[in-house]
Amino acid sequence: MVTLQTLLACMCVIVLGACGSAYVSPDVSGFGGDDGVQVVDLSPAVVTHANRSAYQPQDLPAAFSRIAGGTTGPRGAARLPDPVFDAQARPGAVELRVPPAVNPGSYRIGVGDVLLLATPRGESTVEELAGLVAAQNQRQGYTVQDDGDIAIPDVGRITVGDMTLAEAEDAIFERLIAARIDPSFSLEVAEFNSQRISVGGAVRNPGVVPVGMTPVYLAEVLASAGGLDITSDDFAVIRIYRDGNLYQIPTSDLYSDQGLQRIRLVDGDSLFVDTAYDFDQAQAYFEEVIARAEYTQSARANAIAELQTEVSIRRGALEESRQNFRDRVEFGAEGGEFVYIAGEVTTPGRFELPFENRAVLADALFDAGGWSASTGNPSQIYLMRAQENSSYASTVTAYRLDGSNAANLVLATRLELRPGDVVFVAEQPVTRWSRVINQITPTVINLGAAAVN
């Protein structure tokens, strides 16, 4: 009589013999022939050969390489109209118009002036004033900033703008006292840069003349500009433009009347030596110069605003085009290029090849999380590629990477991917056996239970 143990043994033999049918493990089998698979172990030479296959990454649309202002043409103010005022013939006489006498009072410190601060010689003063200059041959200058302040080390910023020299001395004195520093010092203006008189026209050296502590007179300004640049036969008139009013002094009157030479000029005056004689024309000339300057400034501002608007429109159009492309890629309307990843990896799926760049085996492998440490066989990592007209491979070439030697992973960073490649990681032998056992164990238990019953 057949015992239960004998029956169970026979059943186990039958089940184990059918393991090949009960569990099919994915694997890469290499064999020859026109339709076979050739397994090639990766080496530097094999990587070089595999990378020779023709491939051009997909290009991004042109919208991704353009900039918003790349094709805009040059901009600027439109051409100014030609001046309408020409020099006139020499007149018989020119009306004398003298500017009213002015007395601006004491000089007031302004932006750009350089103040010179000095202290008496002495060791204690040097130590106490620190950043201040203590000896006359070591005096320090301080420039008045755009906010009207000067900055003195160890004292701080002191407002002196629009002050007379006496008022500035009082302000500095109070700050030195507050800082517990010996307030013995002297103050003077070393450079006068805030108040100016402009000189132009028929003079040898057109430019600006600074206004200082002492009054500035018409004759001095003309001398500072190198004198008049006219011949003895030339007619000239000195135009003085002040506070929107135009005055004129013929040079013949200037030379004959010393009082005219002592006309005091003040900050903001514009002096122009003109060979024209018509007062109204001279005034219109000044107005035209101002109008042309304002027109140029306005035209430039309009051009900048127009350019900014155009750039904004172009930037919006480019961004819309780029977003449309992203949406088409997201919904699969644009033909993406993929590499497929299977086997014992953390995240099977597909890897999208980048635009305008080349990816390598390591990119796809580690994008999928790498091989499974518990089930993957690092010595059986394959990159399978369909080959056409290959001199040494059959229809499909399986490039095998032995990742059990970590040094070989360098090859994975060199082997380039191609569209349609398949990356496959085989399972470990013990994993295959474990999965077989897991599949047949319920069957054996059920058979044993049936035999007992």
Side-chain angles (χ1 to χ4, degrees):
M1 184 175 181
V2 180
T3 63
L4 177 60
Q5 291 81 2
T6 302
L7 179 60
L8 290 176
C10 292
M11 293 174 62
C12 288
V13 171
I14 294 172
V15 172
L16 291 175
C19 285
S21 300
Y23 174 76
V24 178
S25 175
D27 199 357
V28 177
S29 300
F31 55 89
D34 294 337
D35 298 324
V37 177
Q38 182 170 358
V39 178
V40 181
D41 289 331
L42 278 181
S43 66
V46 172
V47 169
T48 301
H49 184 279
N51 290 344
R52 288 177 182 171
S53 61
Y55 172 64
Q56 181 63 39
Q58 295 185 97
D59 292 329
L60 284 169
F64 284 88
S65 59
R66 293 177 181 169
I67 59 176
T71 59
T72 184
R75 295 177 180 274
R79 179 182 178 275
L80 289 172
D82 295 330
V84 298
F85 298 102
D86 301 323
Q88 301 296 310
R90 178 174 178 175
V94 174
E95 180 185 1
L96 175 66
R97 296 188 182 183
V98 180
V102 291
N103 183 13
S106 300
Y107 182 83
R108 291 195 171 272
I109 299 170
V111 176
D113 287 345
V114 178
L115 302 185
L116 204 60
L117 192 64
T119 59
R121 184 187 300 273
E123 296 181 356
S124 61
T125 304
V126 176
E127 296 174 355
E128 292 174 351
L129 292 182
L132 299 177
V133 178
Q136 293 183 357
N137 60 351
Q138 294 179 337
R139 297 181 298 174
Q140 178 66 44
Y142 298 95
T143 302
V144 180
Q145 305 300 316
D146 56 1
D147 58 356
D149 292 354
I150 59 173
I152 301 178
D154 295 338
V155 176
R157 299 182 69 85
I158 304 176
T159 300
V160 296
D162 201 33
M163 291 184 179
T164 64
L165 199 59
E167 293 170 345
E169 289 176 346
D170 293 341
I172 296 174
F173 180 86
E174 293 177 0
R175 289 297 297 274
L176 294 180
I177 292 296
R180 300 179 183 277
I181 296 177
D182 184 0
S184 300
F185 69 92
S186 64
L187 183 67
E188 60 182 282
V189 181
E191 296 182 18
F192 298 91
N193 300 318
S194 62
Q195 300 185 24
R196 302 174 181 178
I197 298 170
S198 61
V199 186
V203 292
R204 291 184 176 86
N205 299 312
V208 294
V209 177
V211 178
M213 294 286 189
T214 59
V216 179
Y217 299 106
L218 176 58
E220 297 174 353
V221 172
L222 292 175
S224 299
L228 301 181
D229 188 16
I230 58 177
T231 65
S232 58
D233 294 334
D234 286 343
F235 168 83
V237 61
I238 300 171
R239 316 284 188 184
I240 301 175
Y241 191 70
R242 175 188 297 172
D243 297 332
N245 297 314
L246 185 64
Y247 308 94
Q248 62 185 20
I249 302 174
T251 54
S252 57
D253 293 337
L254 178 68
Y255 294 141
S256 62
D257 187 350
Q258 292 187 354
L260 296 178
Q261 300 178 22
R262 299 286 295 176
I263 293 176
R264 183 172 181 176
L265 302 179
V266 294
D267 177 40
D269 283 354
S270 295
L271 189 126
F272 188 85
V273 179
D274 197 0
T275 56
Y277 73 95
D278 192 298
F279 177 84
D280 294 332
Q281 177 177 322
Q283 183 172 5
Y285 169 78
F286 280 104
E287 294 175 352
E288 181 186 40
V289 170
I290 295 173
R292 287 164 65 91
E294 292 176 347
Y295 174 80
T296 301
Q297 182 178 6
S298 175
R300 289 177 178 173
N302 292 338
I304 292 174
E306 180 183 349
L307 177 60
Q308 290 176 341
T309 302
E310 183 177 346
V311 168
S312 177
I313 293 174
R314 291 185 178 183
R315 183 179 292 114
L318 287 176
E319 183 56 34
E320 182 180 6
S321 177
R322 293 167 184 172
Q323 187 58 47
N324 288 341
F325 176 77
R326 297 188 190 101
D327 293 341
R328 289 179 61 83
V329 171
E330 180 181 355
F331 292 107
E334 289 289 338
E337 296 179 337
F338 299 96
V339 170
Y340 302 89
I341 306 171
E344 303 302 319
V345 293
T346 304
T347 309
R350 65 180 186 179
F351 172 78
E352 185 172 6
L353 294 178
F355 288 86
E356 299 184 356
N357 200 1
R358 297 173 184 264
V360 295
L361 173 59
D363 294 330
L365 185 61
F366 290 101
D367 185 74
W371 61 83
S372 172
S374 59
T375 62
N377 185 355
S379 65
Q380 300 291 326
I381 301 174
Y382 295 92
L383 174 66
M384 291 174 284
R385 177 178 299 169
Q387 301 289 335
E388 295 181 2
N389 302 324
S390 175
S391 60
Y392 78 99
S394 46
T395 303
V396 175
T397 300
Y399 299 102
R400 186 175 71 88
L401 174 66
D402 184 4
S404 62
N405 181 0
N408 289 336
L409 293 177
V410 176
L411 297 174
T413 66
R414 300 291 186 270
L415 181 59
E416 296 179 0
L417 299 176
R418 299 290 185 264
D421 284 353
V422 177
V423 178
F424 175 77
V425 179
E427 61 186 353
Q428 296 187 21
V430 66
T431 301
R432 182 181 295 108
W433 176 251
S434 174
R435 289 171 176 171
V436 170
I437 296 302
N438 289 337
Q439 284 193 357
I440 68 173
T441 297
T443 303
V444 173
I445 292 175
N446 291 337
L447 291 175
V452 171
N453 294 333

